[in-house]
Amino acid sequence: MNKKRKPHLADRNFPSAQEEAAKLKTPSRYAGPESSYRLAFTDTAFLLQDDLRPVRMQLELLKPEMVQRQYGVEATIVIFGSARIAPPDLAQDRLSQAEADGDAQAIARARQGVLMSRHYEEARRFAALVTQASRNLEQPIMVVTGGGPGVMEAGNRGAFEVGGQSIGLNITLPREEQPNPYITPELCFQFHYFALRKMHFLMRSVALVCFPGGFGTLDELFEVLTLTQTGKVRKRPILLFDRAFWTRLIDFEHLVQTGMIAAQDVGLFHFVETAEEAWDLLCEEFGLNAASNAGGVADDAPPANG
């Protein structure tokens, strides 16, 4: 016969919401979809009403914050970049197929895809390097991406391949993209609001690394640049991979010459070309050289050529 448990001074005074929801039995008369009898926090139709948008935004801020705190995530490096950049092997397969089909335009696009695929490998190597090297730091640094394919997948993959954890901040889109398979499941989040997602990119970041990309990448990059320029966030390293791409896409000097930005604003970011160059710059910025194995990519990181 089980002895009755003695009360403890720290026992709850009220049942938890989870306990209340679990034991709730709805009378049959009030079980229909038109009934308002449900507990408010279990009533999905109620929570999805327009008037509840502020509550949903608060939940979207709180959930990733609480989970990351639970798992001890305090410092991150954000990797931005195109979802359309394919791994080298897939890019080469597309080129081979285009050449077999004989479509000149498709061949030209596929050749460009092969050229751009180097950024997939560099993002993968950079994430592996960060993850491996930061194990020797007092405060480990975790890679965070937008959770999708392309450069985002490369970032999560690089961390995964050296046995590390990484974060994915996915978002619901009209053409739904599934989370890439390399994100740590406990740290794979889904957002509805772009604004809340971008806020979480910045809340724990010590640096932002931006690979070539399109509208979404530009949106995220200029959000960070604007917040840094205006002093709304603390200054942190912003690294742009591939100087040739960025300087052709954006004429920064023209912005300076026309007075649209100040001359010192071009100092808000740095161009880099390789994973090692990016990591070395971050080590110098934060004084990490003595604490990390920054001399090169770890032995079990993916090789430079994939």
Side-chain angles (χ1 to χ4, degrees), residues 66-89:
M66 293 171 66
V67 172
Q68 288 180 87
R69 193 186 306 151
Q70 176 186 349
Y71 283 90
V73 180
E74 295 184 13
T76 63
I77 290 179
V78 182
I79 297 179
F80 293 142
S82 176
R84 304 185 187 201
I85 292 178
D89 55 349

Side-chain angles (χ1 to χ4, degrees), residues 31-79:
E34 74 287 349
S35 174
S36 296
Y37 184 75
R38 294 175 189 80
L39 288 167
F41 54 80
T42 68
D43 191 337
T44 303
F46 169 69
L47 290 172
L48 295 180
Q49 292 186 67
D50 285 349
D51 287 346
L52 271 291
R53 182 175 292 118
V55 174
R56 293 195 300 274
M57 295 179 77
Q58 184 179 22
L59 292 173
E60 205 154 276
L61 177 65
L62 276 172
K63 180 181 176 181
E65 168 66 20
M66 293 171 66
V67 172
Q68 288 180 87
R69 193 186 306 151
Q70 176 186 349
Y71 283 90
V73 180
E74 295 184 13
T76 63
I77 290 179
V78 182
I79 297 179

Side-chain angles (χ1 to χ4, degrees), residues 95-155:
L95 176 58
S96 299
Q97 184 60 55
E99 290 174 337
D101 294 341
D103 184 329
Q105 289 186 340
I107 291 172
R109 287 194 300 270
R111 284 177 177 164
Q112 188 62 48
V114 170
L115 289 175
M116 295 302 289
S117 70
R118 73 186 189 277
H119 295 301
Y120 182 101
E121 278 305 291
E122 215 58 47
R124 178 184 172 195
R125 292 187 342 103
F126 174 73
L129 179 55
V130 169
T131 304
Q132 185 80 344
S134 73
R135 288 179 179 142
N136 297 325
L137 303 177
E138 182 178 348
Q139 175 57 66
I141 303 171
M142 194 175 294
V143 166
V144 56
T145 80
V151 168
M152 296 175 281
E153 175 186 289

Side-chain angles (χ1 to χ4, degrees), residues 13-33:
N13 286 323
F14 301 97
S16 69
Q18 185 176 7
E19 291 169 337
E20 285 285 273
K23 71 181 184 182
L24 183 66
K25 290 184 169 59
T26 303
S28 58
R29 173 175 169 78
Y30 303 107

Side-chain angles (χ1 to χ4, degrees), residues 194-210:
F194 269 104
L196 274 299
R197 180 189 189 224
K198 287 193 283 189
M199 189 168 182
H200 273 289
F201 275 133
L202 292 179
M203 286 174 69
R204 288 172 166 79
S205 69
V206 299
L208 298 108
V209 176
C210 201

